[in-house]
Structures are given as structure tokens and as C-alpha cells.
Amino acid sequence: MNATMGWDDDKPHEECGVFGVWNGGDAAALTALGLHALQHRGQEAAGIVTLDEKGLFHAHKGLGLVGDNFGEAKVIASLRGSAAVGHNRYATTGETALRNVQPLYADFEFGGFAVAHNGNLTNAYALKRALVRRGCLFQSTTDSEVFVHLIAISLYSTVLDRLIDALKQVQGAYSLVALHNGALIGARDPLGVRPLVLGRLANGGHVLASETCALDIVSAEFVRDIEAGEVVIIDDSGVRSVKPFGRNAGRFCIFEYIYFARPDSVMEGTPVYETRKRIGAELSRESGVAADVVVPVPDSGVPAAMGYAAEAGIPFELGIIRNHYVGRTFIEPTDQIRHLGVKLKHSANRPILEGKRVILVDDSIVRGTTSRKIVEMVRQAGAKEVHMRISSPPTTHSCYYGIDTPERSQLMAAQHDVAEMARIIGVDSLAFISLDGLYRALGRPARDPAKPEFCDACFTGDYAIPLTDWQDNSDRQLSLLQPAGQ
Amino acid sequence: MNATMGWDDDKPHEECGVFGVWNGGDAAALTALGLHALQHRGQEAAGIVTLDEKGLFHAHKGLGLVGDNFGEAKVIASLRGSAAVGHNRYATTGETALRNVQPLYADFEFGGFAVAHNGNLTNAYALKRALVRRGCLFQSTTDSEVFVHLIAISLYSTVLDRLIDALKQVQGAYSLVALHNGALIGARDPLGVRPLVLGRLANGGHVLASETCALDIVSAEFVRDIEAGEVVIIDDSGVRSVKPFGRNAGRFCIFEYIYFARPDSVMEGTPVYETRKRIGAELSRESGVAADVVVPVPDSGVPAAMGYAAEAGIPFELGIIRNHYVGRTFIEPTDQIRHLGVKLKHSANRPILEGKRVILVDDSIVRGTTSRKIVEMVRQAGAKEVHMRISSPPTTHSCYYGIDTPERSQLMAAQHDVAEMARIIGVDSLAFISLDGLYRALGRPARDPAKPEFCDACFTGDYAIPLTDWQDNSDRQLSLLQPAGQ
Amino acid sequence: MNATMGWDDDKPHEECGVFGVWNGGDAAALTALGLHALQHRGQEAAGIVTLDEKGLFHAHKGLGLVGDNFGEAKVIASLRGSAAVGHNRYATTGETALRNVQPLYADFEFGGFAVAHNGNLTNAYALKRALVRRGCLFQSTTDSEVFVHLIAISLYSTVLDRLIDALKQVQGAYSLVALHNGALIGARDPLGVRPLVLGRLANGGHVLASETCALDIVSAEFVRDIEAGEVVIIDDSGVRSVKPFGRNAGRFCIFEYIYFARPDSVMEGTPVYETRKRIGAELSRESGVAADVVVPVPDSGVPAAMGYAAEAGIPFELGIIRNHYVGRTFIEPTDQIRHLGVKLKHSANRPILEGKRVILVDDSIVRGTTSRKIVEMVRQAGAKEVHMRISSPPTTHSCYYGIDTPERSQLMAAQHDVAEMARIIGVDSLAFISLDGLYRALGRPARDPAKPEFCDACFTGDYAIPLTDWQDNSDRQLSLLQPAGQ
Amino acid sequence: MNATMGWDDDKPHEECGVFGVWNGGDAAALTALGLHALQHRGQEAAGIVTLDEKGLFHAHKGLGLVGDNFGEAKVIASLRGSAAVGHNRYATTGETALRNVQPLYADFEFGGFAVAHNGNLTNAYALKRALVRRGCLFQSTTDSEVFVHLIAISLYSTVLDRLIDALKQVQGAYSLVALHNGALIGARDPLGVRPLVLGRLANGGHVLASETCALDIVSAEFVRDIEAGEVVIIDDSGVRSVKPFGRNAGRFCIFEYIYFARPDSVMEGTPVYETRKRIGAELSRESGVAADVVVPVPDSGVPAAMGYAAEAGIPFELGIIRNHYVGRTFIEPTDQIRHLGVKLKHSANRPILEGKRVILVDDSIVRGTTSRKIVEMVRQAGAKEVHMRISSPPTTHSCYYGIDTPERSQLMAAQHDVAEMARIIGVDSLAFISLDGLYRALGRPARDPAKPEFCDACFTGDYAIPLTDWQDNSDRQLSLLQPAGQ
């Protein structure tokens, strides 16, 4: 739960995207494309491990974007084979070492094994401590290595049994893809917090991916979502399914709909873009206000703003322009640049804003720092009134299930009520969609506190998976090595 | 007129952005910000030359984005002084050598001189040949060096007179900023084809920039556009204006409104974003068609699509999603990736398109290659009908005035009529805005062929500035050196 | 036993240098200096792990020279602490991945542990196979990781007992330095094949190093050689010694004297430079020949040539000049360069050679390829006769104890008798020092076959340590992962 | 005369090596090899310009060693043609910009022209000022660009006449090679201060090079030295010679024999290695002293020490070992490393020095800083007495003819007499060879002050070429641009 902020500043960050393919022809090229389509889920590093027809594994990993690492034909050519798993990583500062880049690979007694993982384990530390006591050596600081060790020491004989043995010991949220010499395996945690979908290639091969947009880019047909708690085994005889945790109702991450997922993805049967527009419309109904224009905070606020504007009958305008050439390099500014703050990324479209009553629509407020700067910019451009509408409920709790959010002490909504937030941000009014409104926009009547259908812990503090590692803080001495540079 | 295409493929490319500051405090930081706001005008290279209070000049240039080259505080700190000129370069393949990166600097008899230039000279080759015969040595292959030599050999004594002497000898389109030990100078060609604006800093200093968005980022107040054929001299006593070519009606580049300029800029008094919406509305009136959704080709087609949709009363939807993580590295694809073509940059939002009659709105068709791929993608996503509407007239002629366009033989509209184009692109209908409609959207009654108010040569072939170098092809032997690597 | 040749071509290669310090003030800087002095023992990669007063470990590793990786003050500053271990690596092609760079580090139950190792284990594969069966995961392809796993799973409780437990299971040649939260540990294998010396700093701290030249550079006083089979534990209470293998006669690598060690080092009480001169003198006595000049093959043949020339009463002359600017970059030559072969590194000093009877003195012949080229060059420079004298016996066997030598099939002396070698190399006469002569030059009467005092397996095939991994080739399937790029 | 010291610290530095080839087959490969053999004359940058059979020029330049820039086959392949000129550059800090790397190239009216230059002009500034007044634009800060402009503006019609016109206007020391579409040209200044030799390839082609060692590497036969004041024109009809300055006695740089040239070169008929030995012998006769060993300061002091030892009958021993792995990266040391000073590059061979009376032989003392550190190191290794003998006279004056030496204020011998120098350096005795002794070692009776045969200004202050730029300090304002980074 690192509070360090990445370069896309004041947003929660998805921690990973995964992709796997079996019988895919040029599996490395397909995986590179799939990871490219999932680039929004992690930009720090990317890796692919392939398996060729001789049973040999091939790997390539690197820091940076998929295109930076897999753009050269010779790299793709070196990753021989028709099966592969791949991974996009979002990582917090200081941990972006190459050794942490997934997929992780290990030589087991039964042969090679590669695994890539999206999510976060909540008892990883406890398990790691026990494994180290047993004599296991950890080489990375990722949760995912825990899976690998648990599989290595399992007393079961088949790979599948060993993997299930491992899954039964871990707690947390995970969607994983794994590859060994006989099959591609996909698995979701018992609550299905993180997404994973299955697709079919024209040639009969199969694909696993975090989102449907990664199926589209490789022209794979959507088959179905992997279910909560399901393990699928894909080999040359087809797709088998195992339910080691029995049948149980899942609680899919509601924030995927609000912000994380790409708008052209469909998650658990619900299209993301349409959902965001419905959330905007619901928000308009809940907290309408007289205004001249509805302006999204780009890019993520656009669909909700469109929904809001249509419902309210107020013109939708691009009053804020985003500069897409912002790289990582304006990170060491002089004082003079620092004062100009958020303007590096956004600029006000003055003719649209001047003299107007403006409704700004954004998807969330985390620390509130960016919101304050945007409001200031909009006012400097001449807006007469500024009303902010947020397409999520107040983010009052940290996520422990795979999303990089600040500690509660830094979450604005955990420290202040809405009126105070409005004052700090500097708006004439501020409103969030209600939790029930959000559920309604997702096609449910309202949230049933006895049996909520989504993981909404960041809004409610209702943590459905135990936070084991955070309840036992007695002994945190492992991994003292500070890699000064690799 | 190099026909090589850059990485943003099938669009014409602006060739440069310029920025200058006098009495600006930390001039280098301001210039870096200004160039960052102008990054859309050139991403190949960036350079800044500053002048400090001791009369010393300092320079830094590099290939890549502004942020890549000017992100470190120590670079900005090394560029001492309160006056500066800067330049963003778009360059065609093979010429991206560092020696071509502007601003160009020279030691003259009267002291140092730096110049940065947006545009293209049409008699540069003829002038260069004469200068070489005289014993002048060229070190770059840029047009801009011609200015420098003409100034160096001018028989006039003051810098200003020498510059005007040089301007009178060149033909072409240019907006330039120049810096010497006594002043910052800005100049536009007699027809004012390329833009240049003047702004004032809070401290009384002045700024010159290609677009108003670069004034906004440094919190400079817009003063006015530099006029066609005007030379402004900015020094500690203020701003002076000279009109060496007399008074004449300008012909500003109409394509700046359609595509090049940033939407939040205001050019010649006309806001760009609003203009694009008006063009879309006009286009809807001219060539309406029954449909279910209006979908922009992102990002440049968005405002025109909004205007079209509003005028037509058809829902505006983001049916195509753009992947902003496309870098330069997917340039060497395997065959398998190549077949997937345009999908690296765009993806279809299937739930929006499936079963619908779709109007696609884009700003231009150059070669048509991208349009065809986008239409194919939209059809694969299930669109029932696809109608394409273009917010510019057919691009039938190359630009010689500073925009990188292909030769006529590669311009689709120069080789085919609209019906054929529709067939090749694969749409059910295709329409371009009329030339008069475009003028109307810009607030004029219609185009007056006797006295057109804009440079619209790319649509009409009406080249207002002589194309000297293209009329004399006898002797093209200079610059035989092929720099194999620098 | 990889036969790939490094860039210093036709010589055997030392595989590593190690350095450790306890209570050394700025331990990282001392270690960087010590590794720099040991650079001749490995140029592929370098690494340092330090331990600070809070018990935290810090690491930095990189491919390339010590100076390339530890030249910046900020790197040294980040490696806090007064204790450290460091390593220079020589590695064969394809294995120069960063994950293989030592020191290796692991989090054990009892805390952090770092180890660096010079030598080669001869049962590493057998041990690795057993460890993998047990569920251990290997992350590198180095022998040294076997030590780490054996320590991790040992049932003993103290670090020292666990290390000794591990040492008792491995076979091979090793000198290692290890660091944990309580001590710096040094160890040599039971035969003491590879060197390790102990020194004392002015402040009372201690240093371990492969050679005395690394003590000199940090102004440490030489204390003594670590003995064969000895384990020393250095902590704040001083230096303790353990002899887990009992007392036994060692067999130090005789080739260290001939070629590997730096000439200013003193090994097992014998100064290297003087020894090389004595070998040259002995060689002259054994196989004198009438000649005009004695010319060393630089740089390593210089002391032997001096000894030879003095004994023979023939002038010593620098008839071959070495170009010290040869980098790694002439590795991809055009055909024309390839024909010019060895001349990139050596050139003939024609005025010295022309018309002369020349005795060339070199230290060894491995493949013979370089010797042939040098002789050809000397003849082209006009030498009338060329006699070659070698300051080692014929290299007829591969080394399995930490030196990179080709397979026997590529060792010239394993395939040809001396007369054939002379013919192939193109010399008028060729002679090697005798094995007894070599022992005499080292101050022994002659070699006692029943109880040889040195490891001379490369000359005799008398392998004193079992070659377990080479005797069981049944199952070589681990580590199938081909890292395509890291 | 920049006083900044390079990485090889306290030595004067040769400023360049040049190479040219006509009718050489793969001219680029030959030139790369020739420059590699001349690498000791400049390590900062290297460049090659070739001319192909179509009359097209091709160039590649880069910072760093020849091997770093020309090691890849594709680079050599891109440099098509059978004629070429190349250059190695030694440059002082701050001026190592790529634009200064030679050969310089220009498009003239008559076609392309490339020139590379070893030496230094003494009226470059005066000429540059005049040229700038005339309107010439300088792009580099090298003297060599003056040649190019003078040729460009010459009123003569042929290239040769223009070049001679230029040579007649410049003052200074230069050996240059130039290439145009009809010929390769070589020229030495009227006094022939810097070397240049002519060689012939087996195929009949010709080569020009700074030293004979560059002929040897490409298997070219030595033809003769280019004479002082001679211009040679090499084309397909053979070699022509022009003497534009008439016949005059040259004054070759005497320091080439002492230090700069490679020992296997032959200069003006005199072999360098033998000469250095003779200087050592003469030095021994002039200033013998009782001692146990003669020890060279490696590498440059070795031949003189051999000559000294042989003449004195005292054993020659390698008492100081040089570490050849010192790169450029130990330039930012921590304090602890800084204190260890010279030991990074040299180490004492303690067993040789301990308890001995040592004669150290070096070739020169510039600042004396390194000498002091070496003496300290030798004493710490236990030497009983340390006597230093220098194989050159005291360096009392700066060089203005192409060698990088400090200002007089930093030359130890310009500030102190020999007794003081001995005290500061810390030796028991210090002696330099006499000027007459040096001439004797070179085969002359003694120096004739009326007509000295060598340029020995660094020892005598007898500057044979006017120092125009240093006599007129009135106006030094050009080239104020400080390139902050390129």
C-alpha cells in the first residue's frame, strides 16, 4: 500500500494487466498486442514468456511500455512458440527493478512454469515469512513470487493440483495466467475482484485477458468471463473448468466501471462506456444545478460528462484540453515551472469558459490536489461559477486488492466532509454520486448491505477479504535489501 | 517537400512551433513551457537559445520532445538569461540530424544572433546556390540557414536593416523569432501564412509564440496577432513595429483552423474549437444523412463531430477509442502485427457501433489509407451503414509553405473523384465540406476567387507565393554529403 | 566449461575476484578500489553489497568494469555501511545477465546474507537437481546460488554452522567472502585452489581479497593467506579461524603464478613478478637457442622474457607493441579488417625485428591461433629466425576449477606434439618449460607425483577434486529458459 | 591553450592524428584501422569522410574511440568509396561537441571538400575575426574551420590553388589531409612541425598518415615523409608534389621522439623506440647515480629506462605496475578515493622496491603532481632512496603548435629550479637530460642555437612561428555561445 504517486498524479492506479494464449500461432506477437491494448493497466514494465513446440521457454522483460520493449521484430522472433503469458506492470517508486517484472519463471522438478498476476495478496507477508523460515529464497519483492514457492513445495504431484494447493493458501484479489509444458491456466480469486475473460481465436486457439479490449485487438471472439473462484485449464483438448472453492457469489471491483477499465471493454456483461454515461445521468438527476456548460476533466471524465449533459439538457463542451505529450521528464522542475503546476497536462479552453457557469465532471477525488488546481485554472479562464460533480462516491478507504491508493490519512474524503472539500477545492458546489445511485446505474435496484454485489470497500470500508498482513505488524524485517540500482 | 510519413501517419504535419521572450525572468523555463504547449507543432526535436545580462548566449538542443530535453533543472539553470528563443521541429526522415535543430546560432561581426523559423522558403535552393558560389559554407540542410547567411553578408549596418534586407530576398511562408544582443525580433511573411502572436507577461516582459495556447501556459496576456508582413522589435523600451513590405492583405493558412492548431488557441481573432464545431454544423447542413450515431475519428475530429451531431440532432458517441500509449517503437512489426494495422492506435467501441448506422467525422483525407482501415474496423464491429463526413474540402494539392504533405500522386483526392474515393474507402456515402461552406463557417460570406482571404492552396492549387525552386530543376547538386550518423 | 572466447582471445581466463571488508569506514569505496585492483580477474560485471550500522543491506551491480559502475559518488554514497563484500565477474557469452552478477543476496530467517565466490563447483549440477526436487527455486545460473540454498535449508541454527554445513556438501574450488549481520566470513576450499588473503586496515578493520594487490590499493597491511580448508570469521571482536575439514596439504593453482595473478601480488609467500622472471631464466637454461633479441609477447610475457634474456645474455627488446585502446567494439569487423587479424592489438616494432634472430617469450599456448598470427607478424617485419619459448608446460587439459579454458579438442597441446605445434605456428623452434623446471622456479626440487604441491591439472590431467557433474550426464534438463534479453 | 587536464593527467597531450587514402578499396575500413593505430594521438572523438565512385561523400563522426564509433560493419558499409580522410581528436573539456569533430566537410561551388588537421594555428583568431566581418559564419570552434572558409572565398579557381592560397594566409603548425572530388591532398606547414608520412598499398593506392605505425596496420609500404612546406596531390595519375613556400629547413617537434609518437613508428628516418633508449643511455652518462634498480614510470618511460639501465649496468625492473583498466569513470571520486590518488592507475611492486635504492625514469615533468604521488608510493613500498631521471629537458614553456600543455604558471620547471623541484617531488636527486644531450641522442653533435634542427620551444622558448593571436588580446568576443549540451 505504497502512497507514492505515479506520473499520472492524483488518480488511483490499476496495478496490472495479464494476457495468455494457447495454440496462438505467433504467440509472442499476439501477446504483445494484447498487452498493448491493456497498457492503461500498467506502464512501468512489460514481460512475455513463451513456450515452443520443443518444450523450451523463452522470456523477454523490460521497463517501460510494451512498444518500447516488444517493438523490434527480432525480439518477437526470439520468443518462439504458440503459447505465451504476458504482463503489464504498474509499480510504485523504488520497486521498479527488473527482477520484479512479471511473468515470473521457475524451473520446477516437473519442468518450467511461468505465471503473471493482477491483484494483491493480503497474506503475502505472512506466507513469505513462513516460506523463508522453511528455507525458501525470495528473489523479488512481488506478491506473485509467493505463488511460485507454494507451488514448488506443494506435496501434490500434478501442476494443477499444486496450483490449487497454492491458491487455497493465499488470501487476496488475483486474476492470474500461468503456463507450463502442458497447458495454459487462468484463475480468479473466490470473489472475482479483478477481471479475467476468455476468448477464442479464428484458428481455434484460446486467449485469456484482463479485458475484452485485448481480445478485440487480436481479433479473438469473446467467449465468457472467467467466474469468481474458477480455474480454467486450456490445452490441446480444449477448455476445462475447475471450481476449487465451490460456488459462491463474486464481488467484482466496482471501480473498474468508474475509472480503470478501457471504455470499449465489456465487463461481466456490462459495457463500460455506456455504464459511465448512465452514471453521469444518474449523477445529474441526484444533484443537478443550473449552469451554462458541462465540461469533463479529460480524458476519463468524458463519458460521465456526456451522460450528465444529456440528462441535464446543458451543452457538453471540451472546456479543458489535455496535452498528450506529457512524458516523465518534467519531473524535476525549476521553481518557476512548479508554480505553473497542473498546466503541463491540462489547459483551459478560455473561449468556452469565460463568463460561464461551469459544471466540471470528474470520476473521483483522491487527494484533491489536482482538482484544486483544475478549478483554479478554470476560474482564471473566466468561469463565473464552478460546480464539481464526481461520478463515484467519496473515496474514504484505501484499496488492498490490487489498486494503488494513498493511505487514508491522505484521502481527502476520509479527512473532510463534502462541504469542507468544496471549500478546499474552491468550487461553488460539490456533489458525489450516491452509493445506491451507482448501483442503480449498474442496473441493480440499490446496494444491499447484507449481500453487496460489488467490492466497494474504497467507498464503504467493507473489506470482504481479510487483511491479514495489516493486522499483524509485529515483524516486518524481511527484504531489507535496498537495491540501489539495477 | 518530402513525402515520407511520420509516425502519426496519414495526416499533414505542421513543421514547427516558435517561441521567444524578452525580459522574462527565467527565460529558459518560460520558453520550455511555451514549446511544451506547442508540442503538437513538432515532436522531432527542440532547442532553446538564451541571452544573459552579460551579453553571453547559451544553447541547448536535442532530438525528441521538449520534456525529454528540458526536463532537468540543471539544463534550465545552464540556460541563463531573461531573453530567449526556442523552436519545436517536425522533420522528415533522414534529416533529423542534430545540426538541423533550431534555433540556429551564428557569431556575426556585430555579435551573436539566434533565429528560429516556422514555415518553408520557396526560393531557398536558388538562394543557397548563389550563396555557395559567393563562398558561404552551409552547415545544415534547413531553409533557415539561408536567413543567417543573408544577414551575415548584408551591406546594411544595423541588425534590423540586415534582417529586413534578408527578408526581402526570400520567398515563402515564415514566422520567425530572432534574438540578438539588443532585442527580440518577430516577423511574418508578407501574406502571413503561418501564425505568430504577441503576449505580455505580468512583469512587463513580452512573449512571441506560434499560438495563443503558449501564452496561456506562461500566464501571458494576449496582446495581438503579428500582422502579415510585419516585423516587431521588442527591447527594453517596448515594442516597435515595422512594415517593410507595405500594407497588404494577408492569406492565413486555413488548415490551421481545420487541424493544425490546438483547439484552445485563438487565431486571428477566431477561436479554433468553436470554429471546428461550426464547420461540423455547416457540414451537417450541406450533406446530412439519416443515421443512429455520429462518431468522431479521435482526437482531431471530435469538435467537428460535436457540431455535426448537434446540428443533425443525432447522438454524438465515442465509438472509436484512441490508445494514447502508442510510441515510436511499433515501427518494425512482424507480419502478424502488420495485418492488424490501424488497431494499434484506434479501437472500435463495439457496443456503440453494433447494428448502427454510423456517421464518421474526420478532418481530412490525405492518402486515404487510414480512413480505409478505420472504416473496415467500424464495419467489423457490426456497423450497419458507414457514412464519412470530412470537415475540409478534398486535399488535391501539396503544401509548399511549411506543411509536410505527400506529393500529388499520393493525394487520394488528386487522383480520384469523391464517388471513387467512397468506393475505395468502403463507405456507404462520403462528403466533404464545400470551400464556400468552409469560408462561411469562418464567418465570411463565401470564398471570393478574386481576393481569397486565406491560403487554401491545398484545396484549390491557388499558390499565392511563387514556387521558384520547383520551377527550376536544372541543378540540384549541393549537399551531396549523406551524413551516415551523427 | 564453456569454450566461448572472450575479447582477450587466446588466453585462459580467471573467472572472478572477491573482496570483503569489516569495520572499514566507507566500506563501499574501499571495496570499489579493491575490485578495481582485481579487475584483471574479471571484467564482465561487478557488484558490491554493504551492511550499515542499522543492519540494512544495500546493493549495486552492473555489467562492465568497476569504474563504469562505481565511478559516481552518489552510487558509493548510496552503499552505506562499514562492512561490504564485492565481486568482479568474468562470464562466458550468453550468461552475462544481470541476475548472475554477484554478490548474491538472500533474506534468510536469521536475516540478510550476501556471498561472493571465485572458483567453480564440480557437483553444482547434482546439488541443484536435488534442491529443485525439494522445491527450491533457482533464479540465476551461477554455481554460487547453490551455496545460498544449502545455507537456507540447513538444519543448523547459526549462520556459521549453516555455512560449514553447505561447504561440506559442495565439491570444487572456491574462495568465498560472505557477509551477514554479525560478521564477515572468508573461506577457501579444502585444497586451497583459488587464492584468498587477509589484511588489516590502519583503523583496525580487516580486509579479505583474492590478491595482495587489492590490499595495497586500500593501504591495508598484509596479515596472511587464508589457509586451504580454512574458514575465518571477522567481527568486532577480531578474527577467528575454523578448520572444518581438518588439516590437509593444499594444492594452489600453479597457473596463478604463470599468468593470472597481477605481477605485484605475493601469493602463498611467493612474489609473482620475481617468480615469472625465475621461470624465464629456467626456461632459458632448459632450451637455450642462439639469437639476437629476446622479445616478449606483451604484456603478460614481459617478466619471463626479462628473466630469459638476462640468463641467456641476449638483449631484451620491446619488439612487439601492444595497443591499449582496443575495446570490445572491433568485434563485428568487415572482411577486410578480419584479414588484418591480430594487428588490432599488437604491432611489430620493425626496426627491432628486421634481419634479427628473434626469441619470442609467451606464457602459454591455448588454441595457438594468436601465436600463429604473432609469428606471422614478426616474420613480415623481417625477422630472420623466430624461436618461441613458453613459460608454462603444454596446456593439455581443461580446467574445471574456475578458469575458463576451451575443451580439450580445442587445446593445441592436447591434439599435437611440440614438433607439430612448431610447424603449425610457423616457428623455427618451439619449447615449453618442463613441469619439473616450473616447480624448481617455484623453489621446489621438482614435482613429486605422489604429493604434488600445486594444482597442475591443466598440464597433467591430475584432477585432485572429483568432477562429479561431468561423470553423470544422464539428466541435464534444468534451466531451459533462454533469457532472450534482460 | 587550455589548461584543463585530460584523463591521462599530468602529461602534455598530442592534439590529433590524421589519415587519408586514395584508391584504397574499402577506404573506410582502412581509415578506421589507421586511426586505430593513431589512437594515442587523440581519444576524444573520431571521424571519417569517404568519397565514392559517383562523387558522393559519406561521413560518420562520434565522440569516443575509433573502435567505439567504427566497430560495426554497417557503419563501415555505409561509408562507401575507395578514398577517405579520417581524424582522431584530442580536445580539452567543454569543447568536445560533436560539431567540432573532424574531418570538416563543406559544399563548395566546385563540389564537396573534406579536411582533417593535426596542429594549431597561431593566427586563427585574427583570421576568424576578419572572416566574420566579411560575413562568414563559423559553426565550430576549431582552428580547422578557418582553412575551409579561406578556401571557400579564395578567388583562385582550382581546388589546389585555393588551398595553397589558404595555406599562405595561415600561421602555425599543421599537417593536414584533404579530399575533394579529384584528389587526396596532404600538406605540412613550412617548418614541418607536425609529422606526416606517405605510404603505398599493395594495389597501387596511396596512404597519408601522421605516423608510420598507421601504415603498418594496413600493410602499406613506407614511401617517405612529406617534407616541411610540401603539398602532395594524390590522384589516379599518381603523386605530385608542390612546394609553395620554397625550400626551407624544417623544425620537427622534438617531443614526438620523447613522448608523443608510438615507439614502433619511424619519424624523419629515425626510429622512435631506439631513440628513446639512446636518450636513456645519454641521460645515464650525464647524471649517473649509485642505485640497485632502474624502474620506469610505465608505460612511456620504459624504453628510456631500458637504455639508462643498460648504460649504467644497473638491473632494469618493473617496479611500478600500470592498471590498464582505468576508464573515465573514476572521475567523480569520494573523498576517500581522492586521497588514494594516483594508485588507481599505478601500483608499486613492493618486493622489487623494498629496501632498494631506486632510479625512477620518466619522460617529462609538467605540473609535477603525478611525479610527487609516484615518489610517495615508491617510498611507501619501502624504497631506501629515490632518484628521478627525466628523459627530456625541463619543460619551461607552453606549446602553441598543437600540443595541449598548461600555462607557464602551472609548469613546474617554469616556476622552480631543479633543486626546488627535487624537494617538492620528494626525491633524493633529480636530473633532466641536457638539451645538447638530447640532440646528441638524436644523432646531432649538439644544438646549434643559430639554426636548431628541431622545434624545442617547450624547453627553450624559441618560438619559430609567430604567436599572432597571443600578441593581440584586444578583442576576444567571438564565439560567446556556450553550448550547454549537444
Side-chain angles (χ1 to χ4, degrees), chain A residues 7-8 24-27 29-30 32-33 36-41 43 65-74 76-77 213 216-219 262-266 271 273-274 277 299 302-303 306 316-319 321 323-334 336-337 340 343-352 356 380, chain B residues 7-8 24-27 29-30 32-33 36-41 43 65-74 76-77 213 216-219 262-266 271 273-274 277 299 302-303 306 316-319 321 323-334 336-337 340 343-352 356 380:
Chain A
W7 60 290
D8 208 4
D26 187 353
L30 292 181
L33 287 168
H36 171 67
L38 298 170
Q39 191 76 78
H40 60 290
R41 296 182 79 85
Q43 298 95 37
L65 298 181
V66 177
D68 297 337
N69 289 293
F70 296 95
E72 292 179 49
K74 71 175 179 183
I76 296 295
C213 63
D216 293 342
I217 200 171
V218 299
S219 298
R262 232 171 71 171
D264 53 333
S265 286
V266 178
Y273 170 81
E274 288 291 347
K277 285 180 64 182
D299 288 346
V302 171
M306 288 170 66
F316 165 86
E317 299 286 3
L318 300 177
I321 306 296
N323 186 335
H324 288 295
Y325 298 107
V326 176
R328 307 193 173 196
T329 42
F330 269 113
I331 54 171
E332 197 190 337
T334 60
Q336 195 158 2
I337 293 184
L340 294 157
K343 289 187 180 174
L344 285 175
K345 210 171 301 167
H346 297 110
S347 58
N349 192 347
R350 178 178 291 271
I352 293 301
K356 304 281 176 53
Q380 283 175 350
Chain B
W7 60 288
D8 207 2
D26 187 354
L30 293 181
L33 287 168
H36 171 67
L38 298 171
Q39 191 77 76
H40 60 291
R41 297 183 77 86
Q43 299 95 38
L65 298 181
V66 177
D68 297 337
N69 288 293
F70 296 95
E72 292 179 50
K74 69 175 179 182
I76 296 295
C213 64
D216 293 343
I217 200 171
V218 299
S219 299
R262 231 171 72 172
D264 53 333
S265 286
V266 178
Y273 171 80
E274 288 291 347
K277 286 180 62 184
D299 287 345
V302 171
M306 288 170 65
F316 165 87
E317 297 286 2
L318 300 177
I321 305 296
N323 186 333
H324 288 296
Y325 298 108
V326 175
R328 307 191 173 199
T329 41
F330 270 113
I331 53 171
E332 197 190 337
T334 61
Q336 195 158 3
I337 293 184
L340 294 157
K343 289 186 179 173
L344 286 174
K345 210 172 300 169
H346 297 109
S347 58
N349 192 348
R350 177 178 292 270
I352 293 301
K356 303 280 178 52
Q380 283 176 348

Side-chain angles (χ1 to χ4, degrees), chain B residues 3 21 64 77 146 149 157 160 181 183 241 270 275 285 328 379 393 403 409 428 433 477:
Chain B
V21 59
V146 169
H149 284 284
S157 59
L160 182 61
N181 217 322
S241 173
T270 304
T275 299
R285 283 188 293 272
R328 307 191 173 199
R379 289 207 186 272
I403 306 302
S409 62
D428 296 291
I433 195 169
Q477 302 309 314

